Amino acid sequence: MLDSLARQAWSHQRRFALGALVVFVVAGIVGGPAAGKLNARNAFSDPGSQSARAQALVERVTGRETDPGVLAVVSAPPGSEAVTSVARTIGAVPGVASVVAPVAGAPSPLVSSDGHMSVVAATLKVPRSADNAVRAIEKALHGRRDVVLGGGDVANQQVNQQAVSDLGFAELVVFPLLFVLALLIFRGVAALLPLAVGGLSVLVTFTVLRLVNTELALSTFALNLVIGLGLGLAVDYSLFLVWRFRDEIGRGAAPEDALGTTLRTTGRTIIFSALTVAAALASLGVFPQRFLVSMGIGGAAVALVAAASSLLVLPALVALLGSRIARVRPAPPAGTWYRLARGVMRRPALVAIVTAGVLVALASPAPRVTWSGVDASVLPHSKSARVVQDLVTQEFPALHGGQAVLVVAHAPPTAGPAVARYTAGLAQVPGIRLVAPPRYLGSGVWRATLGGRSDAIAPSSQQGVERLRAMPAPFPVLIGGAAADFYDQRASIASSAPLALVILALVTLVILWLMTGSVILPFKALVMNALTAAAATGVLVFVFQDGRLTRLLSYASQGGIEETDFLILAALAFALSTDYGVFLLARIKEARAEAPDERDAIALGMQRTGRLITYASLLLAVAIGAFGTSRLVFLKELGVGGAVAVLLDAFVVRALLVPSLMALLGRWNWWSPGALRRLHAGIGVVERVEVPATSAS
């Protein structure tokens, strides 16, 4: 099939190129606006959890949100004309269900400690769009310098807006930087190829996500992953294809034959690489959180689209440019990477122990991780929602003094005394107090509000949720609220993680078995991938949880790591580690047919891929590291963690750990039972060439 594709691309190069241009334009028109279309509600919550069901039930019965989602901090005392006018203005906005404002002379948590500031709290209607209502409130209060808007709904909108803004900034940074690096690596007009393929991959994936979003609401944060991973993979695949094409030209092959060999060998490996990345990221789809599902869909889609773009578009562009990119490079028999591999294999046990020790040391902070959530605290201090959160924390102790606990009971209208006795019992739980007594909402639903004395993610709040849910109830009860939502998020992630890990492990084992025919190498790769992922997560804890490099990275520590970041980082680390391992092990296996000495074959394989993997990792680290420019701390964590994982894998694992462990195992690297050897003979994948093609050092 790939041979046929190469012939078609060579014979109809202009048609392929024109078709790619048409697809690019259409994808730009359809997929370009995706940033304003994706906005899944409650993207970090488990929709099937008890807390989510409690919220949904109250919203269905009342037609309004469970708690005030808009808090307007007014620089005026309660009962003043300024406070009254703000309440009146907000109350007149369509989509606002109710407004509460403090009055003069009455104690209220909505009044600051010094009495000079007031909070006007608005609860929005459902199922109307909260974003539309927030925008209308902002417009109605525009120009008033005595009012600052915050609250959960405002924070959600500003987080999404910041993510979209970060997309544009990342594009402005990453495209020129990738072009400069590509120019240094590819030299000449060939530097345009990876960016063309990358841009096409990103826009086509945007289109795919916009279409999926019509049936399944996706989070806008998936677009950030699509840009970073799409550009990185497209550049990597272009690099491997162009380099192999140049190698074949250097062997004396005609350009058309060189293109055919390139697709038949490296092209086939790219297919398996893309399947590896797609399957690893698709494992995020087993989690119920829409944020993780969106990341899984976006990551899997962009991996497949990047491979398709590289294999369908790049060959035609290579054929069109012809001799302008077919630069023949010298091929020394023993370059830098060959000598490095030989040096490592002279003391393989020592190198393996020291390298593994470094990775374990980097991973050592990971066990002391604490989790944080996504709220106004992830925003920069200049955003109004962050300003309001800080003001409430500092100036409104009664309002900040703990997280509300939502108690929803299924009981008839006549069950008021029983519901009251039950909620009074809940208020006896340590750290819990009764804030609002039970109230009948209709349709057999009662609501009461309890208050905790700690933040939602504090251990005491999480223990409080456990105790409340353990209390016997005379009727069906749901315990919700912010603390319960965080508790349910952790529980659902813990229950889904084993399946995701099994998928990651199986993908790694199957792909590397298909590439090598060995049952030893895949298990060794699994351990090394785990080390890479653990080291990257340890770095996250050391930097972001402990609040280091705050000025350099321009962030404010939350004192923890957003939990879903660990999952995405693990999937990325496994996918990209296996991705590079596929290319390296395929070339080592190919070299075994040429070099009877096992260690010489390892060194030859390292020589033929070492510089490529180094370049590829640098380019991918830049693309993924673009997350690090985000002003949202949890996206910044992903960017830094992803870049660290890529660079560790390329410069530590592939350069030192792989050759040292392979030297220790010798021919046992390639051991496989007879039945599996026969099966692999029919379906295995390896790059085969007739004459060695050694890359320059």
Side-chain angles (χ1 to χ4, degrees), residues 45-225:
S45 299
D46 176 0
S49 66
Q50 187 174 153
S51 56
R53 287 185 286 123
Q55 177 182 338
L57 182 59
V58 171
E59 290 180 349
R60 178 175 61 81
V61 173
T62 64
R64 61 175 63 188
E65 294 181 348
T66 55
D67 296 295
V70 177
L71 302 178
V73 177
V74 187
S75 300
S80 63
E81 173 57 27
V83 173
T84 302
S85 67
V86 168
R88 186 168 53 247
T89 300
I90 294 176
V93 171
V96 174
S98 64
V99 177
V100 177
V103 296
S108 171
L110 301 178
V111 181
S112 64
S113 299
D114 61 8
H116 294 158
M117 290 188 292
S118 305
V119 169
V120 176
T123 303
L124 304 183
K125 296 177 182 177
V126 292
R128 299 174 65 96
S129 169
D131 282 351
N132 290 340
V134 168
R135 281 192 288 268
I137 292 172
E138 289 174 337
K139 183 177 180 180
L141 295 174
H142 181 69
R144 293 200 56 157
R145 297 186 177 181
D146 59 339
V147 181
V148 184
L149 281 180
D153 288 327
V154 177
N156 288 340
Q157 184 199 57
Q158 291 184 355
V159 167
N160 287 327
Q161 288 175 340
Q162 187 64 56
V164 173
S165 174
D166 291 342
L167 275 177
F169 183 75
E171 290 172 352
L172 289 176
V173 171
V174 77
F175 268 101
L177 190 53
L178 283 178
F179 176 71
V180 171
L181 291 174
L183 193 61
L184 293 173
I185 294 169
F186 287 87
R187 306 293 175 88
V189 71
L192 296 173
L193 298 180
L195 295 184
V197 174
L200 178 64
S201 302
V202 168
L203 287 177
V204 171
T205 308
F206 276 16
T207 302
V208 171
L209 294 185
R210 186 175 178 186
L211 294 175
V212 172
N213 190 62
T214 60
E215 298 295 330
L216 178 69
L218 299 177
S219 169
T220 189
F221 303 115
L223 301 178
N224 298 71
L225 178 64

Side-chain angles (χ1 to χ4, degrees), residues 274-597:
L275 291 174
T276 301
V277 176
L281 287 166
S283 68
L284 296 173
V286 307
F287 295 95
Q289 285 77 12
R290 193 56 55 86
F291 172 73
L292 291 173
V293 172
S294 302
M295 288 294 201
I297 292 174
V302 79
L304 298 176
V305 171
S309 300
S310 299
L311 296 176
L312 293 173
V313 177
L314 193 61
L317 297 179
V318 168
L320 277 172
L321 295 174
S323 60
R324 298 180 67 185
I325 66 168
R327 181 174 58 87
V328 178
R329 294 169 290 107
T336 301
W337 285 94
Y338 182 94
R339 293 191 296 272
L340 174 63
R342 276 295 187 180
V344 167
M345 290 185 288
R346 278 196 289 270
R347 298 285 189 275
L350 178 62
V351 172
I353 291 171
V354 171
T355 304
V358 170
L359 292 174
V360 170
L362 289 173
S364 61
R368 60 180 177 81
V369 65
T370 58
W371 305 118
S372 64
V374 176
D375 55 18
S377 65
V378 306
L379 289 165
H381 290 281
S382 59
K383 294 295 183 180
S384 67
R386 178 64 183 268
V387 172
V388 167
Q389 184 180 53
D390 293 343
L391 281 174
V392 168
T393 300
Q394 297 163 11
E395 306 293 341
F396 296 83
L399 188 60
H400 171 68
Q403 292 294 327
V405 178
L406 176 65
V407 181
V408 181
H410 288 269
T414 56
V419 177
R421 285 193 298 273
Y422 170 70
T423 54
L426 294 180
Q428 302 306 309
V429 171
I432 301 296
R433 57 191 172 83
L434 182 64
V435 174
R439 180 165 56 92
Y440 185 66
L441 302 180
S443 302
V445 177
W446 289 79
R447 170 188 174 153
T449 303
L450 305 174
R453 293 188 172 87
S454 305
D455 289 337
I457 63 176
S460 58
S461 295
Q462 299 301 292
Q463 294 166 4
V465 172
E466 286 186 356
R467 295 190 182 108
L468 290 173
R469 289 180 174 175
M471 294 283 286
F475 28 68
V477 173
L478 298 172
I479 303 294
D485 182 63
F486 189 73
Y487 179 91
D488 290 335
Q489 182 195 62
R490 293 185 62 182
S492 68
I493 286 175
S495 64
S496 300
L499 177 57
L501 290 174
V502 168
I503 292 173
L504 281 175
L506 286 177
V507 166
T508 302
L509 295 175
V510 171
I511 292 295
L512 289 181
W513 174 77
L514 286 170
M515 295 300 300
T516 66
S518 165
V519 297
I520 302 297
L521 288 174
F523 281 99
K524 183 161 62 68
L526 197 63
V527 174
M528 290 189 292
N529 291 358
L531 274 176
T532 301
T537 53
V539 170
L540 278 192
V541 173
F542 182 78
V543 174
F544 288 97
Q545 180 173 303
D546 296 348
R548 294 183 170 88
L549 306 179
T550 53
R551 289 189 177 181
L552 177 64
L553 296 175
S554 185
Y555 76 98
S557 174
Q558 291 182 286
I561 304 297
E562 206 287 310
E563 190 168 12
T564 58
D565 279 358
F566 265 47
L567 302 171
I568 297 170
L569 183 57
L572 273 175
F574 265 77
L576 298 175
S577 296
T578 307
D579 176 37
Y580 291 147
V582 162
F583 287 98
L584 173 59
L585 293 176
R587 296 307 292 266
I588 290 176
K589 186 173 183 182
E590 175 188 313
R592 293 181 77 235
E594 308 159 14
D597 179 69

